[in-house]
């Protein structure tokens, strides 16, 4: 044991450029090692002190565990005393992952996800109304209050706005003993072999019970509601026969007007790195790659025959050129006309495809009769190459004709509509992620007064963690950053400070960094 427990003492360090160095470093304070480039600063800090601390830690593992980690070389030093558990913050700062942000690196965003999953209030993305959630007993009481003495049908939704003939579904309904269904708003009796137009979208509800709501008959009402919720997997609808109105009720979060429902939120529902939370269009990246018409046809003075369409080049005897020629002929042009002379309608069809089947003459295909085919357009042609050929060459080729832009569906917020519909004090999680960290810290300081009684029971511990980590970020001078700032856009110094905050935020005591 060293006589002075307040220091780390190194004797005879000879790693790399170090020439038998003896040094005393005080514990519990910030020590800076300075010197010329190549003088051995990193050799002393990383390759001697940190390497010895890590080696001693790994030696405490069993022989079985050390087999997986490998043996660590002892640094070339006579003796080191006074070491405590060591943590190294890496010097390399580049993170090229486009999914990594300041929020995910510092774990502040992870705590925000937990906060919104446990204390967020749900609103409908269709009507903007607050989502509601009922127990069976509450639904019984609401029906007795709103429909007393009125004739109603209790409906269980089975299909919502999906294509199909649903022959098997109707057979299942008959086997369960139900007599009526409501298809696309029309009540009808279920018949054997019944089916719908498979190419149209349909909404189907089964009529579980038809009754007049009475206080004296509430046992039947309770049983019918329980059965309706069971058939509708937690959802049900009440159809008022007199005014033909519909109201929705649910054991899950539900919009009372439109009937859309959300599953109970979990932290992964607010993560742009999870399929449950990410925007379906950009897959949680916040940007999409769009095919640019000006890059496909850079020179409008050229004709298609002379190579105006950059991805295809000059005219060749191939199917795609014959298809384009057929479109041009339909609008009264030839392949030798400059692109600047073509109408917008003709160009739209060349880019986006034709609804009609195109006729390719027999002399071109060298067959006995004309060939009729569909044409899906240049955009689809380039997209299919991007999806089907993952080679670097193909991706580079596609990249010539596309540009990166903000996702039109989520407006760069990375999350799906459901995740963006949960709010705390009138802000969703994406709105917090675009605030400067200094502004976010001030907003969180004032948040307690804006919370409901229910939220005040849940939020304090989570908010404490978020505020602590944000305070560290402000202390190292990063108050101008935002949580959604991409890690690969940070400077080296900013990355270093974020790594420092991540380590300090773990609140370990007695460790050496």
């Amino acid at each position: 044991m060293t006589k002075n427990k307040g220091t780390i003492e190194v004797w005879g360090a000879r790693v790399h450029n170090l020439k038998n160095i003896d040094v005393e470093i005080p514990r519990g304070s910030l020590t800076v090692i300075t010197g010329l480039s190549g003088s051995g600063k990193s050799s002393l800090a990383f390759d001697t002190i940190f390497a010895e601390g890590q080696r001693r830690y790994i030696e405490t593992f069993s022989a079985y565990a050390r087999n997986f980690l490998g043996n660590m070389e002892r640094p070339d030093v006579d003796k080191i005393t006074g070491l405590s558990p060591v943590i190294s913050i890496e010097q390399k700062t580049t993170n090229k992952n486009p999914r990594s942000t300041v929020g995910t690196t510092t774990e502040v965003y992870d705590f925000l996800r937990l906060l919104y999953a446990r204390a967020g209030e749900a609103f409908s993305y269709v009507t903007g109304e607050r989502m509601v959630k009922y127990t069976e007993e509450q639904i019984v009481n609401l029906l007795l209050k709103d429909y007393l003495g009125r004739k109603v049908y209790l409906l269980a939704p089975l299909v919502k706005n999906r294509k199909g003939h649903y022959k098997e579904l109707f057979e299942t309904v008959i086997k369960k003993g139900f007599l009526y269904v409501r298809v696309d708003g029309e009540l009808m009796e279920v018949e054997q072999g019944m089916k719908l137009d498979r190419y149209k979208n349909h909404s189907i509800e089964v009529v579980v019970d038809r009754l007049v709501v009475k206080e004296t008959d509430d046992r039947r009402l309770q049983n019918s509601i329980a059965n309706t919720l069971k058939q509708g997997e937690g959802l049900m609808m009440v159809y008022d026969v007199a005014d033909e109105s519909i109201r929705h009720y649910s054991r899950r979060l539900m919009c009372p007007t439109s009937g859309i429902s959300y599953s109970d939120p979990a932290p992964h529902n607010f993560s742009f790195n999870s399929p449950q939370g990410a925007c379906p269009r950009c897959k949680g990246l916040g940007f999409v790659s769009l095919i640019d018409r000006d890059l496909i046809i850079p020179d409008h003075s050229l004709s298609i025959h002379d190579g105006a369409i950059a991805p295809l080049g000059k005219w060749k005897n191939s199917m795609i050129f014959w298809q384009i020629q057929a479109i041009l002929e339909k609008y009264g042009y030839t392949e030798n006309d400059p692109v600047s002379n073509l109408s917008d309608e003709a160009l739209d069809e060349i880019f986006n495809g034709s609804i009609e089947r195109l006729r390719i003459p027999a002399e071109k295909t060298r067959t006995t009769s004309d060939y009729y085919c569909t044409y899906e357009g240049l955009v689809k042609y380039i997209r299919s190459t991007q999806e089907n050929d993952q080679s670097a060459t193909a991706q580079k080729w596609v990249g010539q004709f596309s540009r990166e832009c903000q996702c039109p569906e989520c407006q760069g917020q990375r999350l799906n509509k459901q995740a963006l519909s949960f709010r705390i004090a009138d802000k969703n999680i994406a709105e917090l992620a675009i605030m400067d960290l200094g502004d976010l810290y001030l907003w969180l300081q004032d948040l307690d007064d804006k919370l409901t009684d229910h939220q005040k029971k849940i939020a304090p511990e989570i908010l404490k963690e978020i505020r602590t980590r944000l305070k560290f970020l402000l202390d190292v001078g990063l108050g101008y950053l935002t949580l959604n700032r991409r890690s690969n856009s940070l400077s080296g110094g900013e990355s270093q400070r974020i790594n420092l905050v991540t380590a300090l935020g773990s609140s370990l005591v007695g460790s050496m960094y």
Side-chain angles (χ1 to χ4, degrees):
M1 286 292 287
T2 178
K3 293 174 185 175
N4 186 359
K5 292 184 180 179
T7 59
I8 299 158
E9 297 175 355
V10 180
W11 285 285
R14 293 177 294 276
V15 176
H16 300 153
N17 288 349
L18 298 175
K19 306 297 184 189
N20 218 33
I21 295 293
D22 298 342
V23 64
E24 274 191 18
I25 300 171
R27 289 166 59 91
S29 63
L30 179 65
T31 301
V32 181
I33 303 171
T34 63
L36 297 172
S37 177
S39 60
K41 303 182 296 294
S42 296
S43 297
L44 177 60
F46 288 102
D47 300 324
T48 306
I49 297 171
F50 172 69
E52 176 63 8
Q54 196 175 37
R55 187 187 70 82
R56 291 181 187 180
Y57 171 60
I58 286 173
E59 275 193 352
T60 64
F61 292 0
S62 67
Y64 176 73
R66 291 203 302 274
N67 280 338
F68 296 102
L69 295 167
N71 291 320
M72 294 196 69
E73 290 282 327
R74 187 179 186 279
D76 189 3
V77 61
D78 290 340
K79 185 178 177 185
I80 300 179
T81 62
L83 274 182
S84 55
V86 287
I87 295 167
S88 161
I89 297 164
E90 289 184 86
Q91 284 180 295
K92 61 177 187 182
T93 56
T94 51
N95 186 341
K96 295 181 180 178
N97 186 349
R99 294 185 171 278
S100 175
T101 65
V102 170
T104 58
T105 306
T106 59
E107 297 177 358
V108 171
Y109 192 79
D110 298 334
F111 283 104
L112 280 178
R113 291 194 293 118
L114 181 62
L115 180 68
Y116 271 82
R118 297 293 173 258
E121 294 180 317
F123 292 82
S124 168
Y125 58 75
V126 176
T127 64
E129 295 175 70
R130 190 186 295 274
M131 303 288 270
V132 292
K133 186 178 181 180
Y134 299 120
T135 62
E136 283 180 26
E137 189 178 341
Q138 286 173 318
I139 296 172
V140 170
N141 292 335
L142 284 167
L143 262 62
L144 287 170
K145 177 187 166 190
D146 298 335
Y147 293 97
L148 192 62
R150 302 172 76 92
K151 187 176 182 182
V152 297
Y153 293 176
L154 303 185
L155 311 175
L158 303 178
V159 173
K160 188 165 185 178
N161 205 31
R162 291 205 313 267
K163 290 179 181 175
H165 56 69
Y166 297 111
K167 184 180 176 182
E168 294 84 2
L169 179 71
F170 291 127
E171 286 175 3
T172 306
V173 167
I174 292 169
K175 284 176 185 173
K176 287 181 177 179
F178 299 114
L179 302 175
Y180 295 93
V181 287
R182 183 172 176 264
V183 178
D184 302 331
E186 185 184 344
L187 286 161
M188 56 181 70
E189 195 170 345
V190 196
E191 297 172 358
Q192 206 72 41
M194 179 175 168
K195 60 181 181 179
L196 308 174
D197 184 340
R198 66 180 299 177
Y199 299 108
K200 289 183 179 177
N201 284 346
H202 301 289
S203 293
I204 303 169
E205 299 94 33
V206 61
V207 180
V208 176
D209 199 0
R210 300 181 295 169
L211 73 163
V212 175
V213 179
K214 300 175 186 173
E215 287 182 353
T216 53
D217 199 13
D218 67 335
R219 175 58 61 189
R220 176 184 173 184
L221 185 62
Q222 287 173 12
N223 292 338
S224 294
I225 286 171
N227 194 15
T228 308
L229 289 169
K230 182 182 175 185
Q231 300 302 325
E233 295 181 352
L235 299 171
M236 68 172 282
M237 297 154 68
V238 176
Y239 174 78
D240 190 328
V241 176
D243 59 13
E244 297 186 349
S245 64
I246 285 279
R247 285 187 70 176
H248 300 263
Y249 299 88
S250 174
R251 278 199 294 247
R252 297 183 289 181
L253 286 166
M254 181 207 68
C255 172
T257 303
S258 65
I260 62 163
S261 66
Y262 301 164
S263 55
D264 287 335
H268 64 234
N269 292 118
F270 301 94
S271 169
F272 44 78
N273 293 326
S274 162
Q276 286 87 354
C279 165
R281 176 78 185 273
C282 65
K283 305 294 185 287
L285 290 171
F287 59 86
V288 289
S289 184
L290 294 180
I291 304 300
D292 192 329
R293 288 189 175 198
D294 292 333
L295 296 174
I296 292 176
I297 303 181
D299 187 353
H300 284 245
S301 65
L302 289 176
S303 68
I304 289 173
H305 188 278
D306 292 336
I309 301 174
L312 303 181
K314 292 192 175 182
W315 190 269
K316 294 181 279 291
N317 273 324
S318 65
M319 179 58 72
I320 194 163
F321 279 108
W322 297 336
Q323 290 170 324
I324 291 169
Q325 188 180 38
I327 290 169
L328 292 171
E329 287 173 359
K330 186 171 83 171
Y331 287 96
Y333 302 108
T334 71
E335 66 273 16
N336 293 308
D337 289 322
V339 170
S340 56
N341 291 357
L342 304 182
S343 68
D344 290 340
E345 291 84 1
L347 282 172
D348 276 343
E349 205 159 313
I350 289 168
F351 277 109
N352 300 319
S354 175
I355 301 169
E356 305 164 20
R357 286 161 66 82
L358 302 177
R359 183 183 72 86
I360 311 297
E363 61 267 22
K364 291 188 185 297
T365 58
R366 295 181 182 177
T367 53
T368 53
S369 59
D370 293 345
Y371 177 70
Y372 289 86
C373 62
T374 56
Y375 170 67
E376 295 187 324
L378 285 173
V379 172
K380 187 74 181 283
Y381 172 73
I382 295 168
R383 277 263 176 261
S384 62
T385 304
Q386 184 182 31
E387 289 164 9
N388 299 330
D389 190 344
Q390 294 297 318
S391 67
T393 310
Q395 296 302 312
K396 186 179 178 182
W397 178 81
V398 171
Q400 298 175 76
F401 314 111
S402 59
R403 58 187 169 81
E404 216 174 76
C405 64
Q406 189 183 75
C407 173
E409 187 161 327
C410 67
Q411 307 302 322
Q413 293 181 314
R414 295 177 167 226
L415 297 167
N416 59 33
K417 290 185 290 187
Q418 185 171 319
L420 294 172
S421 300
F422 282 80
R423 296 182 211 153
I424 292 176
D426 278 339
K427 286 193 182 292
N428 65 32
I429 193 168
E431 288 172 318
L432 299 189
I434 62 171
M435 292 171 73
D436 286 353
L437 297 180
D439 295 338
L440 177 59
Y441 184 74
L442 292 174
W443 184 83
L444 288 167
Q445 290 293 84
D446 299 333
L447 183 61
D448 290 338
D449 299 333
K450 301 172 186 174
L451 296 178
T452 64
D453 291 339
H454 174 66
Q455 289 172 328
K456 284 177 181 174
K457 294 175 186 174
I458 300 167
E461 287 301 316
I462 307 171
L463 287 172
K464 181 183 169 186
E465 281 290 339
I466 296 171
R467 287 168 183 152
T468 302
R469 287 165 192 266
L470 284 177
K471 187 69 168 65
F472 277 131
L473 285 162
L474 299 183
D475 288 345
V476 295
L478 295 177
Y480 59 88
L481 292 180
T482 61
L483 291 178
N484 71 343
R485 173 80 176 266
R486 282 196 232 167
S487 296
N488 58 12
S489 72
L490 296 171
S491 70
E494 287 168 339
S495 294
Q496 229 16 347
R497 282 180 281 169
I498 281 173
N499 288 339
L500 180 66
V501 166
T502 307
L504 294 176
S506 61
S507 303
L508 288 174
V509 177
S511 301
M512 184 172 66
Y513 291 91

